[in-house]
Amino acid sequence: MEQKNVNVNRAKWWQIAGLAVNDIATNLYMWEMIFISYYLNGIIGAGVVIASSLATVMRLWDGITDPIIGIILDKTKGKFGKNRPFLVIGQLIMLVMSAFMFFVTPHFPKAVQFLVFVVFYAVYIVGYTCQCVVTKSAQTCLTNDPKQRPTFGIYAGALNTIFFTVAPLYSYTYLLKKHNYQFGMDYFQEMWVLVAILSFILTIVCYLAIRSKDRPEFYGAGNTEQQKIKLKDYVDVLKKNRALQMLVISASTDKLATQMNGNATVAIIIYAIVCGNAGAAGLVGTYTIIPSILILIFGIGFVARRFGQMKGFKFASYAALIIMTLQVLLFVFGDPTQLSLPGDGRFASWNAFSIAFVVLMVLFTGFKQIAGSLVYPMTADCTDYEVYRSGKYVPGLIGTVFSFIDKLISSLAPLIIGLLCAAVSSSSELPTAETPYSTGLAAVGIFSMFGILIFGYLCNIIAMHFYPLTKEKMESISDEIAKIKANSQEIGA
């Protein structure tokens, strides 16, 4: 039985891990939807430009729904908690709407299939937003222990590292090969079945993990029944919550940098054109997965838990910045054409460039995961800080601010890369593996894959200089909220 009059609210390890799997439950659908352009083009018959444009438009719609769902969550009060209704509703909407998209749409007359698909997709996005908001919001009631909260980043980071290594292997290496390298109806329907089953199971796990903590006594200062939140309160949060402002700057610049770093066009420029070894592109993840998880566990399990999340985040940003600077120097002064890895089809033996490249990528992936995984629990810190600062408990708003910024900024990455490529090339087409090498393209590739990350981590370091939530500050906030809860309970008694 939970004790209410305690200084610190702690969770069991499986509850923290259970909430982390919700990120995988939503990422499963997110991964499935990256192939939507192929479905629209090959099955529905939409043109390439229209199919590609829809993905961008829907991402913006996704961003618009974020603050709306966040405000609704903040105002939600009921016997099923604040977070669980959004978990269940979000999962059911995604399940039903994605089934309609892949199984029902083709049965409509050809003339209206695209329009019908857009409607199903728009409703699906609402469900996706509902379930995503729980990942950030539920952390605030699960635990407020400054030493325990960072462990969420370990589980989330490790699970996502594994997921984004396995997902491409399943989608490209196994499933696409099974269907003769064709994105046909059988491909999408088989993927849907696996995604739907796994996401549903993981959602149940998350529901059970947060059930005992998704109660009013664990919300903010424990007095949310009397809390009246108005629109001006949200404006006040955005204007005066310094921690939130600094974390948004860090998260948005990081998101832009990582989106450009992971862009397919950039990968083609670096591996196929600059290095002349396209086969190496898909192998980097297999070399970094285990070491990066070990670095993640050390960075969060030791540094962040012992010295606080802000210092852990700053430590990882400094390390990643140094590593990316070395990677740029390696490509500028080294010979990238020497890159060769076991399994790329041309590997003969290890050389100095390949060894240095792999070592730097292993280290970078680990420190990148530390910084990226700490954003989630630091969001929860920003929510507690707002309770301490103003007495307002608004996890929905604070959580969805990050989602909105992520989607807004990430939608700019392809545009920036396209403009850079156009600036150094006379061709109207994006670079392919057959595009000849040029100094301009090499500069675009190095900047987009490595240089932009230097900018992102510099922004992190500067923003953390003004971020007020040190370990000592969070311990003080935790004690203060505990006193407010105790007073609230005495008044209620």
Side-chain angles (χ1 to χ4, degrees), residues 279-302:
L283 295 172
V284 176
T286 62
Y287 287 97
T288 61
I289 180 172
I290 300 300
S292 66
I293 290 176
L294 295 176
I295 295 172
L296 172 73
I297 292 172
F298 166 78
I300 296 181
F302 176 74

PDB file of all heavy atoms in Angstrom, residues 279-302:
ATOM      1  N   GLY A 279      27.598   0.338 -48.968  1.00  0.00           N
ATOM      2  CA  GLY A 279      27.287  -0.809 -48.122  1.00  0.00           C
ATOM      3  C   GLY A 279      27.594  -0.603 -46.655  1.00  0.00           C
ATOM      4  O   GLY A 279      27.051  -1.293 -45.798  1.00  0.00           O
ATOM      5  N   ALA A 280      28.463   0.371 -46.345  1.00  0.00           N
ATOM      6  CA  ALA A 280      28.840   0.616 -44.947  1.00  0.00           C
ATOM      7  C   ALA A 280      27.739   1.316 -44.171  1.00  0.00           C
ATOM      8  O   ALA A 280      27.707   1.254 -42.928  1.00  0.00           O
ATOM      9  CB  ALA A 280      30.112   1.438 -44.878  1.00  0.00           C
ATOM     10  N   ALA A 281      26.811   1.980 -44.877  1.00  0.00           N
ATOM     11  CA  ALA A 281      25.794   2.794 -44.203  1.00  0.00           C
ATOM     12  C   ALA A 281      24.937   1.988 -43.241  1.00  0.00           C
ATOM     13  O   ALA A 281      24.659   2.422 -42.127  1.00  0.00           O
ATOM     14  CB  ALA A 281      24.903   3.476 -45.247  1.00  0.00           C
ATOM     15  N   GLY A 282      24.493   0.812 -43.647  1.00  0.00           N
ATOM     16  CA  GLY A 282      23.606   0.029 -42.792  1.00  0.00           C
ATOM     17  C   GLY A 282      24.301  -0.760 -41.712  1.00  0.00           C
ATOM     18  O   GLY A 282      23.644  -1.405 -40.887  1.00  0.00           O
ATOM     19  N   LEU A 283      25.632  -0.727 -41.697  1.00  0.00           N
ATOM     20  CA  LEU A 283      26.381  -1.542 -40.736  1.00  0.00           C
ATOM     21  C   LEU A 283      26.758  -0.788 -39.472  1.00  0.00           C
ATOM     22  O   LEU A 283      27.076  -1.407 -38.458  1.00  0.00           O
ATOM     23  CB  LEU A 283      27.660  -2.075 -41.391  1.00  0.00           C
ATOM     24  CG  LEU A 283      27.461  -3.047 -42.559  1.00  0.00           C
ATOM     25  CD1 LEU A 283      28.798  -3.338 -43.218  1.00  0.00           C
ATOM     26  CD2 LEU A 283      26.822  -4.340 -42.067  1.00  0.00           C
ATOM     27  N   VAL A 284      26.740   0.535 -39.526  1.00  0.00           N
ATOM     28  CA  VAL A 284      27.206   1.336 -38.387  1.00  0.00           C
ATOM     29  C   VAL A 284      26.399   1.019 -37.129  1.00  0.00           C
ATOM     30  O   VAL A 284      26.955   0.873 -36.035  1.00  0.00           O
ATOM     31  CB  VAL A 284      27.134   2.836 -38.712  1.00  0.00           C
ATOM     32  CG1 VAL A 284      27.531   3.667 -37.488  1.00  0.00           C
ATOM     33  CG2 VAL A 284      28.049   3.163 -39.884  1.00  0.00           C
ATOM     34  N   GLY A 285      25.072   0.894 -37.276  1.00  0.00           N
ATOM     35  CA  GLY A 285      24.219   0.614 -36.119  1.00  0.00           C
ATOM     36  C   GLY A 285      24.549  -0.692 -35.434  1.00  0.00           C
ATOM     37  O   GLY A 285      24.480  -0.795 -34.202  1.00  0.00           O
ATOM     38  N   THR A 286      24.935  -1.714 -36.197  1.00  0.00           N
ATOM     39  CA  THR A 286      25.249  -3.010 -35.589  1.00  0.00           C
ATOM     40  C   THR A 286      26.517  -2.951 -34.757  1.00  0.00           C
ATOM     41  O   THR A 286      26.675  -3.705 -33.804  1.00  0.00           O
ATOM     42  CB  THR A 286      25.393  -4.090 -36.675  1.00  0.00           C
ATOM     43  OG1 THR A 286      26.476  -3.751 -37.555  1.00  0.00           O
ATOM     44  CG2 THR A 286      24.121  -4.208 -37.500  1.00  0.00           C
ATOM     45  N   TYR A 287      27.436  -2.046 -35.116  1.00  0.00           N
ATOM     46  CA  TYR A 287      28.681  -1.912 -34.358  1.00  0.00           C
ATOM     47  C   TYR A 287      28.502  -1.062 -33.100  1.00  0.00           C
ATOM     48  O   TYR A 287      29.281  -1.187 -32.151  1.00  0.00           O
ATOM     49  CB  TYR A 287      29.772  -1.285 -35.230  1.00  0.00           C
ATOM     50  CG  TYR A 287      30.321  -2.220 -36.281  1.00  0.00           C
ATOM     51  CD1 TYR A 287      29.835  -2.184 -37.578  1.00  0.00           C
ATOM     52  CD2 TYR A 287      31.318  -3.141 -35.981  1.00  0.00           C
ATOM     53  CE1 TYR A 287      30.324  -3.046 -38.555  1.00  0.00           C
ATOM     54  CE2 TYR A 287      31.820  -4.003 -36.941  1.00  0.00           C
ATOM     55  CZ  TYR A 287      31.319  -3.947 -38.232  1.00  0.00           C
ATOM     56  OH  TYR A 287      31.805  -4.805 -39.188  1.00  0.00           O
ATOM     57  N   THR A 288      27.500  -0.202 -33.107  1.00  0.00           N
ATOM     58  CA  THR A 288      27.365   0.749 -31.996  1.00  0.00           C
ATOM     59  C   THR A 288      26.347   0.332 -30.944  1.00  0.00           C
ATOM     60  O   THR A 288      26.359   0.887 -29.845  1.00  0.00           O
ATOM     61  CB  THR A 288      26.957   2.136 -32.538  1.00  0.00           C
ATOM     62  OG1 THR A 288      25.689   2.029 -33.207  1.00  0.00           O
ATOM     63  CG2 THR A 288      27.992   2.669 -33.514  1.00  0.00           C
ATOM     64  N   ILE A 289      25.453  -0.610 -31.221  1.00  0.00           N
ATOM     65  CA  ILE A 289      24.327  -0.878 -30.333  1.00  0.00           C
ATOM     66  C   ILE A 289      24.754  -1.287 -28.927  1.00  0.00           C
ATOM     67  O   ILE A 289      24.308  -0.681 -27.938  1.00  0.00           O
ATOM     68  CB  ILE A 289      23.361  -1.920 -30.956  1.00  0.00           C
ATOM     69  CG1 ILE A 289      22.180  -2.164 -29.989  1.00  0.00           C
ATOM     70  CG2 ILE A 289      24.062  -3.201 -31.326  1.00  0.00           C
ATOM     71  CD1 ILE A 289      21.084  -3.013 -30.601  1.00  0.00           C
ATOM     72  N   ILE A 290      25.610  -2.290 -28.794  1.00  0.00           N
ATOM     73  CA  ILE A 290      25.990  -2.775 -27.461  1.00  0.00           C
ATOM     74  C   ILE A 290      26.852  -1.763 -26.712  1.00  0.00           C
ATOM     75  O   ILE A 290      26.537  -1.400 -25.564  1.00  0.00           O
ATOM     76  CB  ILE A 290      26.708  -4.143 -27.552  1.00  0.00           C
ATOM     77  CG1 ILE A 290      25.786  -5.186 -28.206  1.00  0.00           C
ATOM     78  CG2 ILE A 290      27.128  -4.599 -26.151  1.00  0.00           C
ATOM     79  CD1 ILE A 290      24.487  -5.427 -27.449  1.00  0.00           C
ATOM     80  N   PRO A 291      27.936  -1.265 -27.316  1.00  0.00           N
ATOM     81  CA  PRO A 291      28.750  -0.269 -26.599  1.00  0.00           C
ATOM     82  C   PRO A 291      27.971   0.982 -26.211  1.00  0.00           C
ATOM     83  O   PRO A 291      28.175   1.535 -25.129  1.00  0.00           O
ATOM     84  CB  PRO A 291      29.868   0.064 -27.601  1.00  0.00           C
ATOM     85  CG  PRO A 291      29.928  -1.092 -28.521  1.00  0.00           C
ATOM     86  CD  PRO A 291      28.528  -1.592 -28.630  1.00  0.00           C
ATOM     87  N   SER A 292      27.063   1.427 -27.091  1.00  0.00           N
ATOM     88  CA  SER A 292      26.313   2.653 -26.792  1.00  0.00           C
ATOM     89  C   SER A 292      25.381   2.452 -25.607  1.00  0.00           C
ATOM     90  O   SER A 292      25.173   3.372 -24.807  1.00  0.00           O
ATOM     91  CB  SER A 292      25.524   3.115 -28.019  1.00  0.00           C
ATOM     92  OG  SER A 292      24.511   2.190 -28.367  1.00  0.00           O
ATOM     93  N   ILE A 293      24.796   1.261 -25.475  1.00  0.00           N
ATOM     94  CA  ILE A 293      23.934   0.977 -24.326  1.00  0.00           C
ATOM     95  C   ILE A 293      24.755   0.984 -23.034  1.00  0.00           C
ATOM     96  O   ILE A 293      24.313   1.483 -21.995  1.00  0.00           O
ATOM     97  CB  ILE A 293      23.205  -0.366 -24.504  1.00  0.00           C
ATOM     98  CG1 ILE A 293      22.151  -0.248 -25.618  1.00  0.00           C
ATOM     99  CG2 ILE A 293      22.540  -0.811 -23.200  1.00  0.00           C
ATOM    100  CD1 ILE A 293      21.434  -1.546 -25.928  1.00  0.00           C
ATOM    101  N   LEU A 294      25.972   0.439 -23.089  1.00  0.00           N
ATOM    102  CA  LEU A 294      26.846   0.438 -21.907  1.00  0.00           C
ATOM    103  C   LEU A 294      27.226   1.863 -21.507  1.00  0.00           C
ATOM    104  O   LEU A 294      27.231   2.203 -20.323  1.00  0.00           O
ATOM    105  CB  LEU A 294      28.106  -0.389 -22.192  1.00  0.00           C
ATOM    106  CG  LEU A 294      27.889  -1.891 -22.434  1.00  0.00           C
ATOM    107  CD1 LEU A 294      29.205  -2.573 -22.791  1.00  0.00           C
ATOM    108  CD2 LEU A 294      27.270  -2.542 -21.197  1.00  0.00           C
ATOM    109  N   ILE A 295      27.535   2.705 -22.506  1.00  0.00           N
ATOM    110  CA  ILE A 295      27.844   4.113 -22.216  1.00  0.00           C
ATOM    111  C   ILE A 295      26.614   4.809 -21.646  1.00  0.00           C
ATOM    112  O   ILE A 295      26.708   5.615 -20.717  1.00  0.00           O
ATOM    113  CB  ILE A 295      28.325   4.828 -23.495  1.00  0.00           C
ATOM    114  CG1 ILE A 295      29.645   4.225 -23.972  1.00  0.00           C
ATOM    115  CG2 ILE A 295      28.500   6.326 -23.236  1.00  0.00           C
ATOM    116  CD1 ILE A 295      30.095   4.736 -25.333  1.00  0.00           C
ATOM    117  N   LEU A 296      25.436   4.497 -22.194  1.00  0.00           N
ATOM    118  CA  LEU A 296      24.182   5.068 -21.704  1.00  0.00           C
ATOM    119  C   LEU A 296      23.960   4.732 -20.234  1.00  0.00           C
ATOM    120  O   LEU A 296      23.616   5.602 -19.426  1.00  0.00           O
ATOM    121  CB  LEU A 296      23.015   4.536 -22.546  1.00  0.00           C
ATOM    122  CG  LEU A 296      21.599   4.880 -22.069  1.00  0.00           C
ATOM    123  CD1 LEU A 296      21.303   6.347 -22.332  1.00  0.00           C
ATOM    124  CD2 LEU A 296      20.572   3.998 -22.771  1.00  0.00           C
ATOM    125  N   ILE A 297      24.171   3.467 -19.887  1.00  0.00           N
ATOM    126  CA  ILE A 297      23.972   3.026 -18.503  1.00  0.00           C
ATOM    127  C   ILE A 297      24.942   3.749 -17.562  1.00  0.00           C
ATOM    128  O   ILE A 297      24.564   4.186 -16.474  1.00  0.00           O
ATOM    129  CB  ILE A 297      24.144   1.499 -18.393  1.00  0.00           C
ATOM    130  CG1 ILE A 297      23.001   0.793 -19.137  1.00  0.00           C
ATOM    131  CG2 ILE A 297      24.176   1.055 -16.924  1.00  0.00           C
ATOM    132  CD1 ILE A 297      23.179  -0.706 -19.249  1.00  0.00           C
ATOM    133  N   PHE A 298      26.189   3.906 -18.002  1.00  0.00           N
ATOM    134  CA  PHE A 298      27.161   4.623 -17.170  1.00  0.00           C
ATOM    135  C   PHE A 298      26.777   6.097 -17.041  1.00  0.00           C
ATOM    136  O   PHE A 298      26.771   6.659 -15.950  1.00  0.00           O
ATOM    137  CB  PHE A 298      28.567   4.516 -17.781  1.00  0.00           C
ATOM    138  CG  PHE A 298      29.554   5.491 -17.185  1.00  0.00           C
ATOM    139  CD1 PHE A 298      30.117   5.244 -15.946  1.00  0.00           C
ATOM    140  CD2 PHE A 298      29.888   6.664 -17.861  1.00  0.00           C
ATOM    141  CE1 PHE A 298      31.008   6.149 -15.379  1.00  0.00           C
ATOM    142  CE2 PHE A 298      30.775   7.570 -17.305  1.00  0.00           C
ATOM    143  CZ  PHE A 298      31.341   7.309 -16.065  1.00  0.00           C
ATOM    144  N   GLY A 299      26.450   6.728 -18.158  1.00  0.00           N
ATOM    145  CA  GLY A 299      26.172   8.157 -18.154  1.00  0.00           C
ATOM    146  C   GLY A 299      24.977   8.529 -17.303  1.00  0.00           C
ATOM    147  O   GLY A 299      25.012   9.525 -16.565  1.00  0.00           O
ATOM    148  N   ILE A 300      23.911   7.736 -17.418  1.00  0.00           N
ATOM    149  CA  ILE A 300      22.712   8.042 -16.632  1.00  0.00           C
ATOM    150  C   ILE A 300      22.771   7.385 -15.256  1.00  0.00           C
ATOM    151  O   ILE A 300      22.460   8.010 -14.241  1.00  0.00           O
ATOM    152  CB  ILE A 300      21.440   7.599 -17.391  1.00  0.00           C
ATOM    153  CG1 ILE A 300      21.306   8.415 -18.682  1.00  0.00           C
ATOM    154  CG2 ILE A 300      20.205   7.774 -16.516  1.00  0.00           C
ATOM    155  CD1 ILE A 300      20.084   8.070 -19.498  1.00  0.00           C
ATOM    156  N   GLY A 301      23.181   6.109 -15.243  1.00  0.00           N
ATOM    157  CA  GLY A 301      23.192   5.362 -13.977  1.00  0.00           C
ATOM    158  C   GLY A 301      24.189   5.904 -12.969  1.00  0.00           C
ATOM    159  O   GLY A 301      23.957   5.824 -11.758  1.00  0.00           O
ATOM    160  N   PHE A 302      25.291   6.479 -13.450  1.00  0.00           N
ATOM    161  CA  PHE A 302      26.295   7.003 -12.520  1.00  0.00           C
ATOM    162  C   PHE A 302      26.304   8.532 -12.492  1.00  0.00           C
ATOM    163  O   PHE A 302      26.046   9.143 -11.456  1.00  0.00           O
ATOM    164  CB  PHE A 302      27.689   6.485 -12.898  1.00  0.00           C
ATOM    165  CG  PHE A 302      28.791   7.057 -12.036  1.00  0.00           C
ATOM    166  CD1 PHE A 302      28.962   6.626 -10.727  1.00  0.00           C
ATOM    167  CD2 PHE A 302      29.645   8.042 -12.523  1.00  0.00           C
ATOM    168  CE1 PHE A 302      29.964   7.161  -9.919  1.00  0.00           C
ATOM    169  CE2 PHE A 302      30.649   8.581 -11.741  1.00  0.00           C
ATOM    170  CZ  PHE A 302      30.810   8.136 -10.432  1.00  0.00           C
TER     171      PHE A 302
END
